[in-house]
Amino acid sequence: QVQLVESGGGLVQAGGALRLSCAGSGRTFSTYAMGWFRQAPGKEREFVAAISWSGSSTSYADSVKARFAISRDNAKNTVFLQMNSLKPEDTAVYYCAAGSSYRVFRSTVDYWGKGTLVTVSS
């Protein structure tokens, strides 16, 4: 069992930056692929980024590539999402997720956090 708690959301102006954190519980945290999804008002939840259990592989949605960076610290059971050059269309609730497979992570999430709201003003 893995419990995930996100933090770091808030209000930021367009062009600004935020760093989201996700603290995981459980001794098996380091064995999971981790990632972030987001859900904007009136839209479906969408994939943002993923990182393999070792941190050696990462993947991103095209809409955030080159602006966002995912990383993890297994010693601290934490995964991060650095978001730069934020746009109003990045406004959403951001969810941390853990899955047993990095290769098919987008469709095989095992655990979800409750989300943290990011609002980007124009």
Side-chain angles (χ1 to χ4, degrees):
Q1 188 80 7
V2 175
Q3 293 183 326
L4 305 171
V5 179
E6 304 94 337
S7 62
L11 174 64
V12 64
Q13 288 188 333
L18 279 177
R19 189 192 197 202
L20 304 184
S21 299
C22 172
S25 66
R27 294 177 295 174
T28 59
F29 177 87
S30 63
T31 67
Y32 283 89
M34 299 296 298
W36 294 89
F37 290 74
R38 67 185 182 186
Q39 187 167 17
K43 296 187 177 181
E44 293 186 353
R45 189 175 297 187
E46 64 175 2
F47 169 79
V48 175
I51 187 167
S52 62
W53 69 270
S54 66
S56 61
S57 298
T58 58
S59 60
Y60 298 91
D62 288 343
S63 59
V64 307
K65 203 172 293 184
R67 298 189 298 123
F68 290 12
I70 188 171
S71 61
R72 68 189 297 165
D73 183 341
N74 286 339
K76 297 182 178 180
N77 281 11
T78 304
V79 63
F80 305 97
L81 184 68
Q82 178 66 43
M83 305 185 295
N84 300 324
S85 302
L86 282 162
K87 305 175 181 180
E89 51 264 43
D90 294 318
T91 294
V93 177
Y94 283 72
Y95 296 90
C96 180
S100 56
S101 173
Y102 171 76
R103 187 175 60 85
V104 290
F105 182 81
R106 302 184 193 200
S107 59
T108 57
V109 171
D110 296 313
Y111 302 102
W112 294 94
K114 293 185 178 181
T116 185
L117 176 63
V118 172
T119 303
V120 184
S121 64
S122 57

